[in-house]
Amino acid sequence: MPDDPRGFQTRALHAAPRGASLGGGLELSTTFRWDDVDHGASFAAEVAPPRFYRRLGAPNAASLEARVAALEGAERAVAVGSGMAACTLALMAALPEGGHVVCARTVYGEVSNFLRGLAPRMGITASVAEGWEVDDFARAMRPETRAVFVECPANPTLDLVDLVAVSSLARSRGALTLVDATLATPYNCRPIELGCDVVVHSATKYLGGHSDAMGGVIAGSAGFVEAAWHLLRVLGPVMSPFDAWLIDRGVRTLGLRMARINESAERVAAFLDAHPGVESVRYPSLPGHPAHAWARAQHRGFGGLLSVVPRGGVEGARRFVESLSLFALATSLGGVESLAQFPASMARLSDEDRARLGIPAAMVRLSVGCEDADDLVDDLARALSGS
């Protein structure tokens, strides 16, 4: 319901269809009984019917879809098996054979792999905007450009784009703007309200919020979501009912969690920015962030992800992450527990790729959770002091 006047947390709790149970029932069926032939035929004619066959739709997925659509201000949403599935299906739905996409410089690595490897087999080509200004995207566009794809904020560099300007540019060239808003969440930023066309989420992260479920969501116009669903029914990256139930439960507390995470992450960023043992910090609330003005204009808050470069080079960064106690050394982000990741220890990016993307070798990525901010700051202080 794009025009729903209710507050965010009210929509998070009440946007989905009402059920007999306030907790929402877990429905595991793959196949459903109909009252008669006409009843079955009515489901067969629907997009993502909740009670026809689970690969096409399911009750728990339908509840999650309604909730996310309401929070994003979208006409409709569809749930899929992972965030990566959401990205690829959205790109395929946006791009005809022979179509071209302009991609932001930093997006999820597997999205880059898809655009370099599989997409060309479908007759889809891609170019990368070399910077974050709207002019960088304009220079990368071609007559056959049909989509612009950005991750905002970008992971792990925390770069941002002016979504109003980029979506206006894309619209003037006959292209759709697709935004991976996983880090922002609809609590902090709603790209559709800023002129963008499609939002994708790795629901594994903040939407689910408890590091126990995997999924993705695509939100946008009813027509676009229908096109994405037709790809889903053919390719089959279905979200399981249990994951849908867990993520739907997580979305109901999204506003509460994000308010806490925003506040704690700002405090952590300010602490690190002032610490003599830190070389640099990237977080949009800091005045020194290159897109600070855009962030303030487009976001209610700035989320839980930040990057920090401790002094002492790569070995100093390694000592830092291994000295943390409350920040678990683990991949992923967006859960209630705080996490730390050391990208230099991950084999997927070469030194050249990291330099091109602006990821220092000694950078540490922190995902701030819902612990008490005082305790998180104390943990970071101990790790930086080497004690």
Side-chain angles (χ1 to χ4, degrees), residues 110 146 232 302 320 351:
E110 299 297 352
R146 294 295 175 265
L232 167 66
F302 308 109
F320 169 66
D351 292 342

Side-chain angles (χ1 to χ4, degrees), residues 53-244:
Y53 184 62
R54 193 202 290 171
R55 178 167 52 80
L56 308 183
N60 293 111
S63 178
L64 171 61
E65 290 159 356
R67 216 179 294 275
V68 172
L71 295 182
E72 287 290 359
E75 289 181 353
R76 189 153 192 179
V78 62
V80 296
S82 68
M84 188 59 206
C87 291
T88 53
L89 291 180
L91 284 163
M92 291 167 65
L95 292 162
E97 184 177 357
H100 173 258
V101 58
V102 174
C103 191
R105 187 172 72 173
T106 304
V107 295
Y108 182 54
E110 299 297 352
V111 172
S112 296
N113 291 338
F114 168 75
L115 292 174
R116 285 196 301 260
L118 187 57
R121 302 185 202 176
M122 305 173 188
I124 294 169
T125 58
S127 297
V128 176
E130 291 304 317
W132 298 97
E133 301 288 341
V134 67
D135 289 344
D136 295 307
F137 288 86
R139 281 190 291 270
M141 297 186 83
R142 302 175 185 171
E144 66 270 24
T145 299
R146 294 295 175 265
V148 174
F149 184 92
V150 301
E151 182 181 23
C152 189
N155 173 17
T157 61
L158 280 303
D159 289 301
L160 293 98
V161 297
D162 184 342
L163 293 176
V164 174
V166 168
S167 63
S168 178
L169 167 69
R171 193 177 309 110
S172 72
R173 306 285 184 90
L176 299 176
T177 303
L178 285 63
V179 181
D180 180 346
T182 297
L183 296 194
T185 78
Y187 181 80
N188 284 331
C189 181
R190 285 180 287 279
I192 290 172
E193 294 179 0
L194 299 174
C196 302
D197 300 286
V198 179
V199 178
V200 298
H201 287 280
S202 172
T204 312
K205 312 301 193 298
Y206 290 105
L207 297 188
H210 292 79
S211 305
D212 57 5
M214 182 165 288
V217 181
I218 303 167
S221 69
F224 186 90
V225 169
E226 180 173 353
W229 174 76
H230 281 295
L231 291 168
L232 167 66
R233 66 183 294 179
V234 172
L235 298 176
V238 178
M239 181 185 287
S240 80
F242 189 49
D243 283 332

Side-chain angles (χ1 to χ4, degrees), residues 352-364:
E352 293 76 14
D353 284 339
R354 277 197 297 272
R356 177 177 54 82
L357 296 173
I359 302 174
M363 192 198 81
V364 174

Side-chain angles (χ1 to χ4, degrees), residues 273-286:
D273 194 44
H275 197 283
V278 170
E279 185 175 308
S280 65
V281 183
R282 272 288 186 108
Y283 189 70
S285 73
L286 298 175

Side-chain angles (χ1 to χ4, degrees), residues 298-319:
Q298 295 179 170
H299 290 69
R300 180 207 303 236
F302 308 109
L305 198 76
L306 58 105
S307 61
V308 55
V309 179
R311 297 194 185 277
V314 171
E315 286 306 311
R318 180 186 292 273
R319 288 193 299 272

